[in-house]
Amino acid sequence: MYSSFVGHLECPVLAVDLAADLVADPGETAMRGLLYAPPAAPGDEPSLHAFALARAETGNGFDPGPWRALLAGAGLPWPEIVLASALEDGADTSLPGAAGVGSRSGVCGRLWKLSRACGASAGQGGIVVASLMAEPAGEDMLRLCAIQRITGYPALDSSAAFLLGLLAEPAVSGRSRREGVTLLFAGRHTVRAGLVFQDRVLGFFELPAERVLPADGSEPSVLLHCLEDFRLGWLPKERAAELGGFAAVVPALPGEAEGFRPLFVTGPCADRLEGRGRIVGDSEHRAVNNCRGLLYGYARLLEERAASAVPGR
């Protein structure tokens, strides 16, 4: 299922997700890892090894030591490349009520601004998917910059990694090239959604789950209304701010995207949206969505670089 994007990964790569909001079990505080190993011999299949590691006292920081010990204990070598995703702000998302979620609006704003740093228009053109990993985090992204200094490779905010994780599924990325799709992360503390069409992110929002996704299983009417407006480009930043979040949509959504009707959902609370869209994977599959996204994003970046190096391109 991964052969659609790992062809450009020619060495072992470890992808780690440090955001506690993404684990499947509400009582769990594990960090997740996914190790990709290329084929050992021609004709062999690449391998993927999934890991869970107890969350460090430093929260979303990255300490290579425990990961080295974990891989060594499994008889696996330390990889040549380490990619990571984390929540950029200092909110402790393991606490009830998601203290600090409101401050995430600035982080999401910087995610949108990243498109300009990567050479893609933040207006009509949106964010090119492969560009999400093309540049290091901005200097004001202190946590991601600290992680990048340790790994030497891109570190992404969890908002970007979740989009890439869903696009790593061939059924999702293939559909997104034919028509616009809505990708949604249903977390315990946050709900994130992106509009994707023809390899571009054309809209994004992040809202507190406690305001839009009722824990009692009742109708998520606020979220459904926000999604309807979002797909039409009518969800105002002011409305998202009232809910404690952030929203951005390109000035004119393309008609060819056909309203971004297909909805693909991941995250620990995805089951609350049963019947509203297609839930991607079981709970364990969803727990490593961001790790899969890091591998996919890096493979796409290498693919783009290889294509640009071809004479005449």
Side-chain angles (χ1 to χ4, degrees):
M1 68 184 292
Y2 298 95
S3 60
S4 61
F5 67 85
V6 296
H8 288 278
L9 300 179
E10 299 178 349
C11 64
V13 182
L14 175 64
V16 297
D17 177 64
L18 309 171
D21 193 43
L22 306 183
V23 298
D25 183 351
E28 186 182 353
T29 56
M31 299 178 289
R32 297 288 179 154
L34 198 59
L35 177 69
Y36 166 82
D44 289 351
E45 291 292 323
S47 60
L48 283 163
H49 307 270
F51 300 96
L53 184 67
R55 186 182 181 193
E57 293 298 324
T58 52
N60 292 333
F62 178 68
D63 179 0
W67 291 100
R68 287 182 183 274
L70 185 65
L71 294 183
L76 296 168
W78 185 248
E80 296 181 30
I81 298 172
V82 177
L83 309 170
S85 63
L87 290 173
E88 168 52 35
D89 74 338
D92 184 354
T93 56
S94 68
L95 297 175
V101 164
S103 65
R104 292 276 301 152
S105 61
V107 176
C108 298
R110 289 194 291 270
L111 171 66
W112 195 250
K113 291 176 184 177
L114 179 61
S115 62
R116 289 197 292 271
C118 295
S121 169
Q124 187 67 27
I127 305 174
V128 178
V129 167
S131 75
L132 288 171
M133 298 195 75
E135 294 288 336
E139 293 181 358
D140 56 345
M141 295 183 176
L142 302 181
R143 175 174 289 153
L144 296 183
C145 283
I147 293 172
Q148 286 178 166
R149 284 194 293 271
I150 295 170
T151 65
Y153 288 93
L156 293 188
D157 183 79
S158 57
S159 296
F162 115 79
L163 292 171
L164 292 170
L166 281 177
L167 289 171
E169 300 294 330
V172 179
S173 55
R175 188 80 174 267
S176 73
R177 294 187 181 104
R178 300 191 301 271
E179 62 182 307
V181 299
T182 303
L183 308 182
L184 188 140
F185 168 79
R188 299 198 313 275
H189 302 305
T190 57
V191 174
R192 304 173 184 123
L195 303 178
V196 180
F197 179 53
Q198 295 183 346
D199 283 333
R200 289 179 180 268
V201 182
L202 301 177
F204 180 85
F205 76 61
E206 180 171 312
L207 302 171
E210 62 180 5
R211 303 289 296 274
V212 299
L213 193 61
D216 61 6
S218 58
E219 179 82 358
S221 54
V222 175
L223 175 58
L224 296 176
H225 182 73
C226 287
L227 281 174
E228 285 298 315
D229 287 349
F230 182 53
R231 286 161 160 160
L232 296 171
W234 293 347
L235 180 62
K237 292 181 180 179
E238 294 77 11
R239 173 56 176 155
E242 287 174 6
L243 292 169
F246 172 85
V249 183
V250 296
L253 292 172
E256 312 91 276
E258 300 180 356
F260 301 89
R261 301 310 303 176
L263 175 64
F264 296 92
V265 186
T266 191
C269 298
D271 293 340
R272 295 185 197 170
L273 291 166
E274 186 75 45
R276 305 289 183 182
R278 176 178 171 183
I279 298 176
V280 179
D282 57 19
S283 59
E284 184 60 30
H285 180 279
R286 297 195 295 265
V288 294
N289 178 76
N290 278 23
C291 300
R292 191 168 48 251
L294 290 167
L295 293 176
Y296 173 76
Y298 194 66
R300 288 294 309 275
L301 176 61
L302 296 179
E303 182 181 20
E304 291 289 324
R305 288 176 174 172
S308 65
V310 175
R313 291 292 298 270

